[in-house]
Amino acid sequence: MEREQINFKDFQLYVGLDIHKRQWSVSIFTASAHHRTFSQPPYPKALKSYLDKHFPEASIKCAYEASKFGYWIFRDLASFGYECLVVNAADIPTSNKETSEKADPSDSRKIGKALRAGLLTGIHIPQQHTEGDRQLFRYRKRLWADLVRVKNRIKDKFLFAGIEIPQQHDNPNWTKAFLKWLKEASLPDVHTRLTLDMLLEQYHFLYRHFLKVSVEVRKLQRTSYYKTNAKLLRSIPGIGPLTTVQLLTEIEDINRFQTFKKLNGYVGFKPTTHSSGEHDWRGRITYRQNRALRSALIECAWTTVSVDPVMLQRYEDLKKRLTAKRAIVIIARKLLSRIYFVLKNQKPYELGITK
């Protein structure tokens, strides 16, 4: 006798995924029931194999938390015809019990239930080439952090040995004269000298590599994909070539933000609020942020107030009632609004405009 296969063509499944390196926890829900929670190998094809076997032709909607694994899982699942969401972990509804008794199966069930209830909103998924450009820029930033660590280790050798670094060399910029002094400096014993030589060798290697990566990062703004928007951003006082690349790779498409308020929330200059009854309280800027962008724009704001008279006037007015740090954050937010206007309207910035 031939077995008739059940048709799931009009069947909707909701799949919550808890992603880890060695295995995934999968929870499958129908519109009214919990089908099953199980573990599988960490590959999208393993999930597809199970769903094809048990629910052929069903409509699949799945979600997982944004993590260090990037977006390749999203792209693979989307290639199978699945609707997929990558969700900020802070946006997943949870209970006290789920928080205090955390486990992979309960996490995947939590995601699956929230997905079925329509409570999840996915984050923006960048295009493949934009993701690569973003990784290149972030790699440069990590290299700079590595350089700073090596510099500090070198200085620590002199501090440990009780040798004072000459005042003319004690600054963030390491000149050729300082590097020559480091190479010739007399240290207490041969192995301390050997350690310092090895650290200097590491410094020179990292510095050359850092310069090489920096050249590639700067080239990005001259590519056909970024060239027009890079030129617009460079018209804004305080926005340099590296910040331009960072803005272009992190924001990718300004049109994904319907209003400045949404862009401001993404970067993280929005204040925290608490409103209850007759009380309405506004606090410090939100902890939700694009950390790198917010930090970069605050640094740029210091340059902006020195070259843009309008921004300088605004900064001086703010200083009358706020601290310098709080005032510069407001200037950075105003700078972000300039960026939004320039990219949204495809018009260069005009110096002296107050609105």
Side-chain angles (χ1 to χ4, degrees):
M1 296 179 61
E2 293 186 4
R3 299 179 64 181
E4 184 178 352
Q5 189 174 24
I6 300 175
N7 186 354
F8 290 95
K9 192 172 184 181
D10 299 321
F11 206 70
Q12 180 70 60
L13 289 180
Y14 304 90
V15 182
L17 301 171
D18 190 54
I19 305 295
H20 290 282
K21 182 179 179 180
R22 300 192 182 281
Q23 68 175 18
W24 295 358
S25 179
V26 180
S27 291
I28 301 176
F29 292 82
T30 66
S32 57
H34 171 220
H35 165 65
R36 187 186 172 196
T37 296
F38 60 94
S39 296
Q40 67 157 58
Y43 311 109
K45 286 184 177 179
L47 176 63
K48 184 178 186 299
S49 177
Y50 178 87
L51 294 175
D52 285 349
K53 179 180 179 180
H54 295 89
F55 301 97
E57 299 187 35
S59 296
I60 310 297
K61 190 171 185 178
C62 50
Y64 67 93
E65 292 181 5
S67 65
K68 64 181 179 182
F69 297 103
Y71 305 112
W72 68 272
I73 298 171
F74 169 89
R75 295 189 180 103
D76 278 7
L77 293 173
S79 70
F80 301 151
Y82 301 166
E83 184 180 350
C84 187
L85 297 178
V86 183
V87 186
N88 187 324
D91 291 338
I92 300 172
T94 188
S95 65
N96 178 266
K97 182 178 179 180
E98 290 169 331
T99 303
S100 59
E101 300 178 7
K102 188 180 183 307
D104 294 347
S106 61
D107 285 347
S108 65
R109 283 194 293 270
K110 178 172 60 177
I111 295 171
K113 286 187 287 187
L115 179 65
R116 181 177 63 179
L119 300 176
L120 299 182
T121 301
I123 63 173
H124 172 71
I125 307 300
Q127 297 181 52
Q128 185 75 64
H129 73 88
T130 307
E131 186 178 357
D133 297 341
R134 186 183 293 178
Q135 291 300 313
L136 179 63
F137 184 89
R138 292 178 180 179
Y139 177 55
R140 179 195 173 276
K141 191 171 183 179
R142 291 191 186 98
L143 279 176
W144 176 251
D146 291 340
L147 266 174
V148 171
R149 288 190 192 97
V150 173
K151 286 181 176 181
N152 289 336
R153 287 169 186 158
I154 290 172
K155 287 186 175 181
D156 283 347
K157 296 305 166 191
F158 290 91
L159 184 65
F160 189 79
I163 301 173
E164 188 175 350
I165 295 175
Q167 190 173 1
Q168 68 268 27
H169 297 318
D170 195 10
N171 60 70
N173 299 318
W174 284 30
T175 62
K176 290 182 179 179
F178 180 43
L179 290 170
K180 182 180 178 183
W181 181 87
L182 289 172
K183 189 174 181 180
E184 297 173 353
S186 178
L187 290 167
D189 62 86
V190 65
H191 285 106
T192 302
R193 180 71 253 179
L194 179 62
T195 303
L196 181 62
D197 289 339
M198 289 180 173
L199 283 169
L200 283 171
E201 184 180 342
Q202 184 183 17
Y203 166 79
H204 287 298
F205 171 78
L206 281 173
Y207 186 66
R208 287 193 297 269
H209 189 56
F210 173 76
L211 291 178
K212 183 178 179 181
V213 174
S214 295
V215 169
E216 295 302 320
V217 168
R218 287 172 180 268
K219 283 181 182 179
L220 289 176
Q221 64 181 322
R222 297 193 293 272
T223 60
S224 58
Y225 185 76
Y226 297 117
K227 189 175 182 179
T228 301
N229 284 335
K231 189 175 181 180
L232 291 170
L233 288 174
R234 291 299 303 277
S235 70
I236 303 173
I239 302 297
L242 292 175
T243 307
T244 294
V245 174
Q246 187 175 18
L247 285 164
L248 292 173
T249 54
E250 294 290 341
I251 293 175
E252 186 179 39
D253 181 12
I254 197 65
N255 292 315
R256 68 187 177 96
F257 302 102
Q258 288 84 10
T259 63
F260 170 69
K261 185 177 179 181
K262 292 186 179 296
L263 175 61
N264 189 45
Y266 168 74
V267 176
F269 286 123
K270 184 172 65 173
T272 54
T273 60
H274 181 80
S275 181
S276 178
E278 299 175 356
H279 302 283
D280 189 5
W281 176 82
R282 293 167 69 86
R284 296 177 179 272
I285 52 177
T286 177
Y287 69 91
R288 294 191 60 156
Q289 59 177 302
N290 183 310
R291 188 184 300 274
L293 266 187
R294 189 165 85 176
S295 176
L297 288 173
I298 290 174
E299 286 186 31
C300 290
W302 289 109
T303 304
T304 300
V305 296
S306 66
V307 294
D308 188 339
V310 173
M311 289 291 206
L312 177 59
Q313 183 183 26
R314 177 61 174 155
Y315 175 71
E316 293 297 336
D317 289 342
L318 291 167
K319 278 284 297 293
K320 294 175 183 177
R321 56 188 177 85
L322 299 171
T323 63
K325 288 183 177 180
R326 291 193 176 188
I328 206 65
V329 168
I330 295 175
I331 294 299
R333 181 185 181 278
K334 199 170 182 65
L335 180 61
L336 182 62
S337 72
R338 296 284 193 266
I339 292 168
Y340 181 78
F341 177 85
V342 161
L343 293 178
K344 198 78 169 179
N345 296 282
Q346 292 292 290
K347 293 181 180 179
Y349 177 79
E350 296 180 31
L351 195 66
I353 298 298
T354 57
K355 294 183 180 179

